[in-house]
Amino acid sequence: EEEAKLQNGGFLPCPPSPGGGGGGPAGITLEEPLRNCRLRSEAERRGGTVSNPLPPLGPRDDASNRAHAAPGVRSPRGAAELGALPLGFSDVNLNSRNTYEVSRRRSAPDHLPHGGTVPATPAPPQESAERARRAGITGAGSSFAEFFTRNFFTKKAKELKPAAQSAPGWKLFGKVPPRENLPKDSKIIQQEYEARTGRMYKPPPPPARRKNIEFEPLSTTALILEDRPANLPAKSVEEALRHRQEYDEMVAEAKKREIKEAHKRKKIMRERFKQEENIASAMVIWVNEILPNWEGMRATRRVRELWWQGLPPRVRGKVWSLAVGNELNITPELYEIFLSRAKERWKSFSETSTENDIEDAGASVADREASLELIKLDISRTFPSLYIFQKGGPYHDLLHSVLGAYTCYRPDVGYVQGMSFIAAVLILNLEEADAFIAFANLLNKPCQLAFFRVDHSMMLKYFAAFEVFFEENLPKLFLHFKSYSLTPDIYLIDWIFTLYSKSLPLDLACRVWDVFCRDGEEFLFRTGLGILRLYEDILLQMDFIHIAQFLTKLPEDITSEKLFTCIAAIQMQNSNKKWAQVFASLMKDNKEGDKNHSPALKS
């Protein structure tokens, strides 16, 4: 059965008719049973029965039928017999490869029409007989293969429908039907309103195009007047015109504000450009004339006026070093010695973490304060907005080295919080060794030494001298502070310890340092009075807590021109006595009081 299936295309062969002759094969091809079925159905249709309409196939016929596997080779006998029979049943040719091949063969023409193409080659007799047999079987009606090909394996072509106009919007439970009246343009609404009321609406004239792009408004471009969405009721004419007027007013107000801010920015930029031009021209004078003849020209009026306007950044570090001097005679080699000693101490601090070991080694309180941990803690809080002195920054190790070397150089002073700001400003303007030399000599000045060594008696003398000139220049604010018992130490200590580098912007603090190197400690207290004068009106309206908070953190928008204008208005004279004379008299009174054992002065 399996072999017969393979020979018959996978189907069991039909048995031979009972009246047939011997010698036939066990199974026949599928076309003969189909032919028998067709003839039998034809006979039944005519009213009779057919028994064994065809004789059984012999070996020769079976061989010819097995030759059907080769395309184009058919039995002449089968073709002649089938061609003479009446046809009424459609054939399913299961021996063909597929229905697509059958339909393709049937649809191919035998010969092409006349028109320059190559004519069809005549087929051999056997192939013509096979084509005639197939045509006779499938000629009447449509075959099953054609039926399957046309009905089961074809797709219905989609009809192209014109794109429907989408609804203008959506609502919660369905589409909103399209509105009949489309939204009107603002010009059409305006014309209808004018025709109805008879009044003419004059729109504001369009603003003239400004040539300077700097005055073009920026944020007003986001203010766009839009009509309502299509799924909402349209505005009435009066409402649309009212909204138009409100929109124009909003845009006009915004433009005025932005133009005012643009004028302010332009003024600031103009002043900055002017200042930079002055600094550039002054730098030439400093480099070519003043610095080569420093000792002879430093006290002249021309140099002092240039100094007041601010030093050019290129020569700032050099002028600071010359103005501060080197009374301590520190050399770069001496700095390297103290730096190596500081590194050894840091290493010993990391190995011995207990305070008992440090005390046994004879370390003082100042040495313990100058430990690595304390300096590291303060360095991380030095100019945090610049990110150059924090760990990993380009100046972190440099600042650490300068502060560590100074603690070994002056163990009596040690490290005090606030020194890092002074050292940082010097590092930004000087080389490492020069910054250490200027730092050590600057802290050796009487005022800085008194504050950093926390000499209370000297600090009180400086505060008393400051109050003398405070009362002289700002009497109203002085009485206001007195009413709240607000003493100068609340705000002056932070200013003096950091030389205003923490309280003021860095560029403004450097300009304060310029004049401080020229005038000395007097200018530090004069700058304090200038700040109080600048914010006098604001401070008069504050109480104790708000005054202390305001003076501890000054506004960031303070400008150098305003501040130095207020500083210039401060007169450092009291009863024809200057700062040095007033301070000397206070020191003299203090000594006499100590001799007389005055309880008031002691308190």
Side-chain angles (χ1 to χ4, degrees), residues 543-593:
D543 55 3
F544 180 90
I545 296 177
H546 291 90
I547 291 173
Q549 292 176 350
F550 182 85
L551 296 178
T552 302
K553 185 175 178 59
L554 296 173
E556 296 180 357
D557 59 347
I558 182 172
T559 60
S560 60
E561 296 299 328
K562 291 182 178 179
L563 178 59
F564 272 80
T565 301
C566 294
I567 293 174
I570 298 297
Q571 301 294 326
M572 298 301 288
Q573 287 186 354
N574 178 258
S575 301
N576 296 327
K577 289 184 180 182
K578 295 183 179 181
W579 169 267
Q581 295 174 344
V582 171
F583 186 76
S585 62
L586 289 173
M587 292 291 295
K588 184 178 179 180
D589 295 339
N590 188 25
K591 290 179 180 179
E592 292 178 356

Side-chain angles (χ1 to χ4, degrees), residues 125-412:
Q126 294 180 354
E127 190 173 351
S128 301
E130 171 64 18
R131 187 182 297 114
R133 187 185 69 84
R134 184 180 299 176
I137 294 174
T138 60
S142 60
S143 64
F144 279 132
E146 187 177 359
F147 173 76
F148 285 121
T149 305
R150 292 181 180 178
N151 294 317
F152 290 122
F153 301 103
T154 58
K155 295 183 179 179
K156 189 175 182 180
K158 294 183 179 179
E159 297 180 358
L160 297 178
K161 296 181 180 180
Q165 186 176 3
S166 60
W170 294 82
K171 63 181 180 179
L172 186 58
F173 297 106
K175 293 183 180 180
V176 178
R179 294 167 52 187
E180 297 179 359
N181 297 328
L182 296 177
K184 298 181 180 179
D185 191 11
S186 58
K187 294 182 179 180
I188 299 176
I189 296 175
Q190 179 180 343
Q191 293 174 1
E192 292 179 357
Y193 177 75
E194 292 175 357
R196 187 187 307 170
T197 58
R199 292 182 296 178
M200 295 294 293
Y201 170 72
K202 295 182 179 180
R209 181 74 179 179
R210 290 183 294 272
K211 296 182 180 180
N212 194 353
I213 304 178
E214 194 173 353
F215 292 100
E216 287 292 335
L218 301 177
S219 63
T220 52
T221 56
L223 298 176
I224 301 174
L225 184 62
E226 296 284 354
D227 292 332
R228 286 179 180 169
N231 58 342
L232 295 177
K235 297 180 183 179
S236 62
V237 180
E238 293 81 1
E239 186 180 9
L241 291 176
R242 179 165 50 84
H243 288 176
R244 168 64 66 177
Q245 288 181 350
E246 293 176 356
Y247 166 78
D248 293 337
E249 292 175 359
M250 291 170 59
V251 172
E253 246 349 276
K255 286 182 179 179
K256 286 181 182 179
R257 182 171 60 253
E258 290 178 356
I259 290 174
K260 185 177 179 181
E261 293 176 356
H263 276 293
K264 186 178 179 180
R265 288 194 302 268
K266 187 177 180 181
K267 183 179 179 182
I268 294 174
M269 293 299 296
R270 193 185 301 114
E271 292 177 355
R272 185 173 297 176
F273 291 152
K274 184 179 179 181
Q275 184 180 1
E276 290 178 357
E277 291 176 358
N278 295 335
I279 289 175
S281 60
M283 185 183 65
V284 178
I285 300 174
W286 279 98
V287 173
N288 297 331
E289 299 180 18
I290 300 175
L291 290 179
N293 305 311
W294 173 254
E295 294 297 335
M297 296 186 65
R298 63 177 298 179
T300 60
R301 184 174 181 179
R302 180 190 177 192
V303 173
R304 291 181 67 85
E305 289 178 355
L306 285 175
W307 214 328
W308 176 268
Q309 295 174 5
L311 296 174
R314 182 177 173 182
V315 300
R316 176 168 281 156
K318 182 66 175 177
V319 174
W320 285 0
S321 297
L322 293 174
V324 172
N326 190 9
E327 297 178 354
L328 300 175
N329 296 323
I330 302 175
T331 60
E333 293 77 15
L334 186 63
Y335 166 69
E336 294 295 336
I337 292 172
F338 286 111
L339 179 59
S340 61
R341 187 180 300 177
K343 291 180 180 179
E344 293 176 359
R345 183 170 297 182
W346 292 334
K347 186 177 180 180
S348 64
F349 278 141
S350 61
E351 293 176 355
T352 59
S353 58
T354 59
E355 294 185 359
N356 294 329
D357 297 336
I358 300 174
E359 291 177 358
D360 294 340
S364 62
V365 177
D367 291 330
R368 293 199 300 271
E369 289 181 350
S371 65
L372 179 63
E373 300 299 327
L374 184 57
I375 293 177
K376 280 185 177 180
L377 180 64
D378 212 16
I379 287 176
S380 63
R381 295 179 292 192
T382 303
F383 295 117
S385 59
L386 297 181
Y387 300 103
I388 59 177
F389 295 106
Q390 280 64 39
K391 189 173 183 179
Y395 293 106
H396 175 269
D397 296 336
L398 192 60
L399 180 58
H400 197 272
S401 300
V402 171
L403 294 175
Y406 180 78
T407 57
C408 294
Y409 174 70
R410 291 298 299 266
D412 57 325

